[in-house]
Amino acid sequence: MAKADIVALDAQAVRTSVELAARVRPADLSRPTPCLGWTVYGLLAHMATQHYGFAAASRGDGDPARWKLRSLGDDPVASYRASAEHVLAAFAADDVLERMFPLPEFSSGSPFPGARAISFHFIDYVVHSWDLAKSLGVDVDFGPDLLEVALAVAEAVPGGEARLAPGAAFAPALPPPGGSRLDQIVAILGRSPNWSASATWSTT
């Protein structure tokens, strides 16, 4: 994969998340999600916050306050869309891959090269698009080229005890399913491909 491709692939994943968010209605905001403890509102708030955090990091701003969970105000869908446009504009800078991203949520040490940092954002929004689609009971479709890259990024995410730490981005990997490439990706990152909102509600 050419380094420049990660920016385009990330933009595809983010735009897919925006399309899914546009389907959210007020009654959906309290629905459960595959992210333990998060409702649809909580998921959108997390996603929006991450957009602003990564956008700040692309400018060399490593202030942890940029990653403080944001309110979505009176129109969560519009607020989410604005956050997505903000990060897409930040990543569209000509030299973004040559920059170093300080990512205090990922490491308190050295900043990450642009391509690697954007790959983190990319895999988040592939998986969070799946999370949101599952919560709404709809399908999400990504092209095979995007999924091949996402699989490689997912396989590179560290496993072990780091996945059990409080606040870990991903739960421990689940046994490989026999389903689609997207099923494989979410299982590697600790989601059950068979998760459904209706099943979750029926057990609470």
Side-chain angles (χ1 to χ4, degrees):
M1 178 187 68
K3 284 186 177 181
D5 290 346
I6 194 62
V7 176
L9 293 173
D10 178 78
Q12 288 182 43
V14 172
R15 291 190 181 106
T16 296
S17 75
V18 172
E19 292 168 3
L20 289 163
R23 304 177 71 159
V24 173
R25 299 295 177 260
D28 296 323
L29 293 171
S30 61
R31 292 173 69 88
T33 74
C35 303
L36 185 63
W38 287 356
T39 60
V40 166
Y41 179 92
L43 176 60
L44 289 175
H46 167 78
M47 292 162 69
T49 299
Q50 294 282 303
H51 286 326
Y52 286 113
F54 271 93
S58 77
R59 300 187 294 269
D61 183 350
D63 185 348
R66 305 298 183 203
W67 301 81
K68 184 177 179 181
L69 190 66
R70 290 171 173 254
S71 167
L72 298 178
D74 295 331
D75 191 339
V77 172
S79 294
Y80 179 71
R81 185 185 307 113
S83 74
E85 293 300 331
H86 182 79
V87 78
L88 290 174
F91 286 1
D94 289 341
D95 64 343
V96 71
L97 296 177
E98 283 68 57
R99 299 178 185 181
M100 299 297 289
F101 286 49
L103 297 174
E105 282 221 334
F106 292 77
S107 170
S108 59
S110 300
F112 294 90
R116 188 176 180 202
I118 293 173
S119 78
F120 298 162
H121 188 263
F122 163 67
I123 196 61
D124 265 359
Y125 288 86
V126 171
V127 175
H128 285 327
S129 292
W130 179 89
D131 290 332
L132 187 53
K134 281 287 189 179
S135 300
L136 298 174
V138 300
D139 293 328
V140 59
D141 294 313
F142 291 114
D145 292 345
L146 182 149
L147 291 174
E148 287 303 315
V149 174
L151 179 62
V153 174
E155 290 176 335
V157 174
E161 292 187 4
R163 299 275 190 101
L164 298 171
F170 301 111
L174 299 178
S180 69
R181 184 68 84 208
L182 185 53
D183 285 349
Q184 295 173 39
I185 291 164
V186 300
I188 288 170
L189 298 175
R191 268 87 161 161
S192 169
N194 297 320
W195 188 94
S196 71
S198 58
T200 300
W201 272 346
S202 70
T203 59
T204 57

